[in-house]
Amino acid sequence: MSTADLIGNDVEELAETILKEASEPILIVNPSKQELEALITVTIESDEDIPELRVISEPMVLKEMVNDFIIASKAADLIDQEKLSLRTSEEIRRNSMLITEDEVVSLITIDGEVNGLRSDDSEFVDQVRETFLNEWENASEFSLRTPPLSQVKETLREEIGDDTADDFEAVLESVETIEADGTDEVVISLMIAARNNVLLYDISKWGEDVGIASKATFSRTKTRLEDLGLIDTEKVPIDVGRPRLRLQLGDESMADMAPDEMIEETESEITA
């Protein structure tokens, strides 16, 4: 006999409930941005051995996700660990669903709250799972170009230094999003580098090598921050070639701020 139960109204709690019970790959059909971010966050923070998440989504939802460096870099970590696969389909418009080997959970948003309506009828579950496994197999793979967050943190510590890495991580822990159209990961990297008197060459080479942005993007952003008075530079002679530029804070009072406060002040200056 078919049963249907209403479970949870907090998307992260709902995700935790479903993910910890599954042992086979979980199909995630047409998730909203909020639902997808919750699933990624719960999976990356879980101590449980959560099975692979197989996402079939409209392209726009994944493009919006990529616009946020924090969630995109966490997704990249899961892809590296073979815990996440992202695929797109233009014909996937339907209710959001999570499909495990034992149940189908329809996700319904009412007044901003995500509720899960769960059905565990075995015949129905098998039919739905087979249908959407076929759709997943035929969907287009989505290429995520954001580097894994763990790699960003590790290489920054190894190549630039502990103080810079500590400051960078402090900023990541204090903000919910890092949007590409605001104070993005390049701005944050440069401001943290200036706080620690790092060479522009070193931070931009690291950023290009790890996949954050090109050296040219770092250079253009440095110029913009310099024009705003947020960053200053001094020339450092080298044995061969043109002198390199050491980054410094344009406003010395920022050096007394906590890293997250400094980035908040940076954002206010950029958006003023």
Side-chain angles (χ1 to χ4, degrees), residues 21-223:
E21 295 174 353
S23 57
E24 297 292 327
I26 301 167
L27 286 167
I28 302 160
V29 179
N30 194 32
S32 68
K33 182 172 179 284
Q34 176 194 10
E35 292 158 359
L36 183 55
E37 288 178 0
L39 287 159
I40 289 170
T41 299
V42 167
T43 303
I44 204 85
E45 293 177 356
S46 176
D47 295 328
E48 306 287 335
D49 185 19
I50 291 175
E52 178 190 8
L53 309 182
R54 294 181 176 178
V55 177
I56 320 171
S57 170
E58 289 185 88
M60 186 54 65
V61 172
L62 298 186
K63 289 175 183 176
E64 288 177 0
M65 181 196 75
V66 169
N67 195 45
D68 178 355
F69 174 76
I70 292 180
I71 198 68
S73 60
K74 288 179 179 178
D77 261 328
L78 293 177
I79 291 170
D80 255 16
Q81 298 164 21
E82 299 185 346
K83 291 285 188 181
L84 177 67
S85 296
L86 302 174
R87 298 195 178 185
T88 63
S89 172
E90 298 284 358
E91 302 175 357
I92 205 66
R93 291 178 185 152
R94 63 189 81 228
N95 287 343
S96 301
M97 289 187 288
L98 303 181
I99 307 166
T100 73
E101 69 270 31
D102 298 318
E103 62 186 9
V104 174
V105 180
S106 295
L107 301 178
I108 304 165
T109 303
I110 303 173
D111 295 331
E113 293 185 339
V114 179
N115 296 271
L117 188 63
R118 175 165 59 188
S119 176
D120 61 3
D121 177 75
S122 58
E123 185 175 343
F124 173 69
V125 172
D126 288 347
Q127 182 180 8
V128 172
R129 188 169 174 81
E130 181 179 356
T131 296
F132 285 101
L133 273 173
N134 287 335
E135 290 212 21
W136 186 83
E137 291 289 350
N138 293 323
S140 303
E141 291 189 18
F142 181 80
S143 177
L144 185 62
R145 296 179 181 177
T146 309
L149 185 57
S150 59
Q151 185 181 348
V152 170
K153 292 178 177 179
E154 181 182 342
T155 55
L156 183 61
R157 192 168 296 278
E158 289 175 351
E159 297 175 25
I160 306 299
D162 289 339
D163 290 343
T164 304
D166 288 344
D167 287 349
F168 189 85
E169 291 181 23
V171 173
L172 293 185
E173 289 169 5
S174 70
V175 297
E176 293 183 0
T177 62
I178 295 177
E179 300 285 354
D181 55 356
T183 306
D184 64 12
E185 56 272 23
V186 178
V187 170
I188 291 171
S189 299
L190 286 167
M191 290 301 297
I192 293 299
R195 177 184 173 89
N196 290 279
N197 301 124
V198 175
L199 294 178
L200 173 63
Y201 174 86
D202 291 343
I203 197 70
S204 59
K205 182 178 186 303
W206 163 78
E208 184 170 76
D209 288 348
V210 80
I212 286 180
S214 67
K215 288 181 183 177
T217 298
F218 270 85
S219 181
R220 285 194 300 270
T221 305
K222 184 273 299 180
T223 300

Side-chain angles (χ1 to χ4, degrees), residues 193-260:
R195 177 184 173 89
N196 290 279
N197 301 124
V198 175
L199 294 178
L200 173 63
Y201 174 86
D202 291 343
I203 197 70
S204 59
K205 182 178 186 303
W206 163 78
E208 184 170 76
D209 288 348
V210 80
I212 286 180
S214 67
K215 288 181 183 177
T217 298
F218 270 85
S219 181
R220 285 194 300 270
T221 305
K222 184 273 299 180
T223 300
R224 180 162 61 98
L225 295 174
E226 206 169 15
D227 290 344
L228 289 168
L230 292 167
I231 275 181
D232 200 355
T233 58
E234 68 170 357
K235 292 182 179 179
V236 178
I238 56 175
D239 292 339
V240 178
R242 296 169 57 189
R244 291 186 176 163
L245 298 176
R246 187 176 302 283
L247 298 171
Q248 300 174 328
L249 292 175
D251 181 352
E252 292 183 3
S253 67
M254 283 187 170
D256 297 324
M257 299 178 183
D260 56 322

